[in-house]
Amino acid sequence: MSELLQLPAWQALQQHYSKITLLTMRDLFAQNPNRFQNFSLEGNALLLDYSKNRITQETMQLLYQLAYESELSAKINAMFSGQAINYTENRSVLHIALRNQSQQAIYVDGIDIMPKVRSVLSHMREFVSVVRNGLWKGYGGQRVTDVINIGIGGSDLGPKMVVQALQPYQTKDLNFHFVSNIDGADIQSVLNKINPETCLFLVASKTFTTQETLTNAHTARKWLLDHYQDKKAVASHFVAISTNAVAVKAFGIDVANMFEFWDWVGGRYSLWSAIGLSIALAIGMDNFQAMLQGGHQMDEHFRTADFEKNMPVILALLGIWYHNFFQAESHAILPYDQLLSQLPSYLQQADMESNGKSVNNQGKTVDYSTGPIIWGQSGTNGQHAFYQLIHQGTHLIPADFILPIKSHFNIGEHHNILVANCFAQTEALMLGRTEAELRQQGIDESVLPYRVFSGNRPSNTLMLEKITPKTLGSLIALYEHKIFVQGVIWQINSFDQWGVELGKQLASKILPELSQTEVSENHDSSTNGLIDYYKSYYRSINR
Ligand code: F6P
């Protein structure tokens, strides 16, 4: 049995679980009128209500005990002090340094990294001001109207999510586009909309070797050169964000227009770095700094607050409670704000690429479940799609409801209706509806069983004042730290991603085979069969 399953707190939770399954939240709320006060927490312009969970004070005490026994405090200190906690790549994990607003030095290999961080921020500030003021000229002398971020994974999802979320702060002078997919439809649909004379491509890639990004960037480069017929035009229309100066130069991008970041920034934690250049161009550098400040405030909260008052820790422990004890396989992210519509996709990578691991820090296969499946959609759209299954299906799906108190769009009753729906959903999930209640309403006996809601379905509600650069920064950092805490408890490395390698390697082996005429023999019969079917069908329709 693994170390984790032998921890006294884990074993106690196992025992406690059988007691909890006998309780309903409906009863717990009826017995304790202060349940909301007892299980909610405010800070950093965020309110976390976790009272609608299948927990008692004892549950929480046992979960905190699990965090202590997992030496969480030491692990937090290890991250913040720059230790190489990404032990399979021998790297520090210091996205917190990118938003460090204190004068505190942060060391990697004995060198303070803060001067470099500040220097890139100044480079970004200078560039953002030049572009936003129309002083950056294309090769033909025109100002920029369209910014196209070419990147994938962490070099796409974070910036795309934030640019969308902070749309009310966006300059009207620039249009923003995000190209990620290798499918030519993605880049082509953007190229169709923009003018080569007024476009600016940001090639965002930590490694600058990612096939999708490089292929899209080369297609964009060719499109630009087809227009200008002069290679010198590349420098006026392309900038790079990368850790790989050699590859950037080889692409033809002036290294003076390269925005650097470092191997201690994980791709999925990189929106705070120069990878966030599209964000800074959209909302301006002061707003970008406000987002960093929001992130930093959450870092300070996470680093200093007792576990009992620590939002990321509480969210992480509740996640473990459902995932490992109730065997809930997934977790839904349900933002009640259209501006946050990309948040579920963003958190999908942040969480699933981080904690989708099955080997622990001792190199042993784990004997417990790790990372949940993260999914979701903005409310109220989700209500008319998958909430049926959350309410009456056979799966237990813990969910986070995220709601701003004030909307950026004051249109009639829209916001109140949205808010009412959000609260109603968490109430319905918790309370359910009994046969007796249905009878009282005069519901026909023949349909009674179909109309019962079992209830007792857990949710957290996160309320923030308004979506601003600062509150969004705090919200993102909250989830980053939640993911980290879960990784610590599961004793896995949340910061590598070896699981994406195999597919990449096999794709590069298959690619040349697609243009060969011989029958495929290099793979299993299914893969050979698919390759051959594709090739012969393709040839037959392209004669
Ligand atoms: O999906 C694998 C991955 O390495 C992610 O971790 C990363 O965000 C993405 O690819 C893009 O990588 P890069 O920024 O190096 O192009």
Side-chain angles (χ1 to χ4, degrees):
M1 204 199 292
S2 63
E3 252 177 42
L4 174 60
L5 303 198
Q6 290 178 55
L7 290 178
W10 190 278
Q11 306 220 333
L13 279 161
Q14 201 73 65
Q15 305 247 311
H16 178 71
Y17 165 74
S18 32
K19 271 202 277 173
I20 283 290
T21 51
L22 306 174
L23 305 178
T24 65
M25 286 191 271
R26 187 187 262 256
D27 291 342
L28 292 170
F29 270 98
Q31 287 153 16
N32 177 7
N34 294 324
R35 192 170 163 87
F36 171 73
Q37 285 78 4
N38 295 159
F39 295 110
S40 61
L41 185 64
E42 211 189 334
N44 288 323
L46 286 173
L47 169 86
L48 166 63
D49 170 22
Y50 60 101
S51 59
K52 291 194 185 95
N53 277 295
R54 294 176 68 173
I55 52 166
T56 60
Q57 295 287 8
E58 190 188 351
T59 321
M60 292 313 294
Q61 287 316 316
L62 290 172
L63 288 168
Y64 297 133
Q65 192 53 36
L66 178 65
Y68 293 120
E69 290 176 14
S70 302
E71 295 171 359
L72 178 59
S73 296
K75 301 284 167 41
I76 295 174
N77 286 337
M79 175 165 75
F80 278 77
S81 62
Q83 290 178 39
I85 61 168
N86 175 356
Y87 48 85
T88 56
E89 296 181 303
N90 194 26
R91 287 177 183 166
S92 309
V93 174
L94 282 172
H95 42 281
I96 54 104
L98 301 167
R99 52 202 190 215
N100 175 21
Q101 310 282 301
S102 74
Q103 291 312 308
Q104 199 76 40
I106 298 180
Y107 295 97
V108 172
D109 298 330
I111 297 166
D112 180 11
I113 55 172
M114 286 315 299
K116 283 199 218 170
V117 170
R118 292 192 196 104
S119 149
V120 173
L121 283 170
S122 323
H123 187 193
M124 288 171 70
R125 181 172 286 277
E126 208 178 294
F127 178 77
V128 164
S129 151
V130 170
V131 174
R132 285 169 58 101
N133 290 324
L135 302 174
W136 180 281
K137 302 290 186 218
Y139 198 53
Q142 293 198 49
R143 65 177 287 164
V144 174
T145 58
D146 289 80
V147 175
I148 307 97
N149 188 83
I150 301 182
I152 197 163
S155 302
D156 168 69
L157 291 162
K160 186 162 65 184
M161 181 273 286
V162 174
V163 168
Q164 154 79 13
L166 298 179
Q167 194 201 305
Y169 297 84
Q170 195 174 309
T171 172
K172 303 277 174 287
D173 297 334
L174 293 170
N175 304 310
F176 288 84
H177 313 269
F178 290 85
V179 174
S180 54
N181 201 322
I182 189 64
D183 185 340
D186 204 9
I187 181 93
Q188 192 59 55
S189 69
V190 173
L191 296 180
N192 289 346
K193 282 187 255 180
I194 59 174
N195 174 355
E197 300 269 342
T198 60
C199 65
L200 178 65
F201 292 98
L202 315 180
V203 187
S205 175
K206 180 176 170 181
T207 53
F208 225 78
T209 57
T210 304
Q211 188 185 42
E212 292 89 339
T213 301
L214 270 283
T215 307
N216 278 322
H218 279 287
T219 300
R221 187 176 185 272
K222 181 176 178 307
W223 170 83
L224 189 87
L225 294 183
D226 284 349
H227 173 76
Y228 281 116
Q229 303 292 325
D230 184 351
K231 276 192 180 159
K232 284 197 229 122
V234 173
S236 310
H237 291 272
F238 280 82
V239 302
I241 306 147
S242 187
T243 57
N244 185 349
V246 177
V248 167
K249 210 168 168 185
F251 184 87
I253 296 177
D254 187 345
V255 184
N257 298 326
M258 170 177 152
F259 296 82
E260 196 194 357
F261 68 115
W262 309 275
D263 69 1
W264 41 262
V265 181
R268 52 193 173 276
Y269 300 91
S270 65
L271 67 86
W272 318 92
S273 72
I275 288 288
L277 191 60
S278 53
I279 303 172
L281 285 166
I283 64 175
M285 206 55 201
D286 288 346
N287 281 323
F288 187 79
Q289 292 276 8
M291 182 184 81
L292 299 184
Q293 207 187 345
H296 177 67
Q297 283 183 356
M298 184 52 72
D299 295 341
E300 284 305 284
H301 164 74
F302 176 55
R303 196 175 63 80
T304 58
D306 291 342
F307 294 164
E308 292 78 358
K309 295 263 171 264
N310 194 315
M311 279 194 204
V313 172
I314 292 172
L315 282 183
L317 292 171
L318 289 167
I320 301 252
W321 179 228
Y322 293 115
H323 191 63
N324 294 102
F325 297 91
F326 287 78
Q327 316 303 333
E329 288 200 315
S330 79
H331 186 100
I333 302 291
L334 308 171
Y336 275 67
D337 193 309
Q338 195 57 22
L339 292 176
L340 293 179
S341 62
Q342 296 295 319
L343 187 69
S345 308
Y346 165 76
L347 288 178
Q348 222 165 37
Q349 187 208 14
D351 201 320
M352 294 170 80
E353 199 167 83
S354 296
N355 287 341
K357 313 285 163 67
S358 50
V359 174
N360 70 10
N361 53 20
Q362 313 286 313
K364 301 258 167 26
T365 301
V366 297
D367 52 0
Y368 44 85
S369 181
T370 62
I373 297 156
I374 302 292
W375 60 289
Q377 203 190 114
S378 52
T380 58
N381 291 359
Q383 289 175 208
H384 295 273
F386 51 77
Y387 278 40
Q388 164 67 39
L389 184 145
I390 303 186
H391 282 289
Q392 283 192 316
T394 53
H395 301 270
L396 179 77
I397 303 179
D400 292 352
F401 288 76
I402 303 166
L403 175 73
I405 295 169
K406 192 165 164 44
S407 166
H408 281 280
F409 309 96
N410 286 322
I411 316 166
E413 273 290 278
H414 282 256
H415 191 61
N416 273 346
I417 298 172
L418 181 79
V419 174
N421 272 280
C422 177
F423 295 157
Q425 290 299 326
T426 68
E427 187 178 30
L429 286 168
M430 184 274 284
L431 274 182
R433 179 138 297 168
T434 62
E435 279 197 10
E437 285 167 344
L438 288 164
R439 255 185 218 110
Q440 253 176 15
Q441 286 174 16
I443 303 294
D444 194 295
E445 284 292 324
S446 65
V447 291
L448 220 58
Y450 305 100
R451 300 196 56 172
V452 166
F453 286 66
S454 60
N456 217 15
R457 295 178 186 239
S459 66
N460 297 308
T461 301
L462 271 162
M463 242 197 283
L464 56 159
E465 189 181 298
K466 189 178 175 180
I467 302 198
T468 66
K470 201 165 162 192
T471 57
L472 183 65
S474 289
L475 183 71
I476 300 168
L478 165 65
Y479 276 100
E480 287 179 345
H481 293 318
K482 170 200 165 180
I483 293 163
F484 168 69
V485 172
Q486 294 192 329
V488 167
I489 289 174
W490 287 321
Q491 303 182 2
I492 53 176
N493 181 358
S494 301
F495 301 106
D496 61 13
Q497 57 284 317
W498 301 107
V500 298
E501 292 301 320
L502 181 59
K504 281 192 205 172
Q505 282 162 17
L506 295 183
S508 50
K509 194 169 152 204
I510 292 172
L511 181 62
E513 294 175 28
L514 298 180
S515 23
Q516 288 160 8
T517 42
E518 303 91 74
V519 169
S520 236
E521 283 173 349
N522 299 332
H523 311 270
D524 58 90
S525 68
S526 161
T527 312
N528 283 336
L530 290 168
I531 293 172
D532 289 335
Y533 184 83
Y534 168 81
K535 286 199 295 195
S536 70
Y537 208 132
Y538 183 86
R539 262 182 250 122
S540 75
I541 55 178
N542 280 290
R543 274 208 187 100

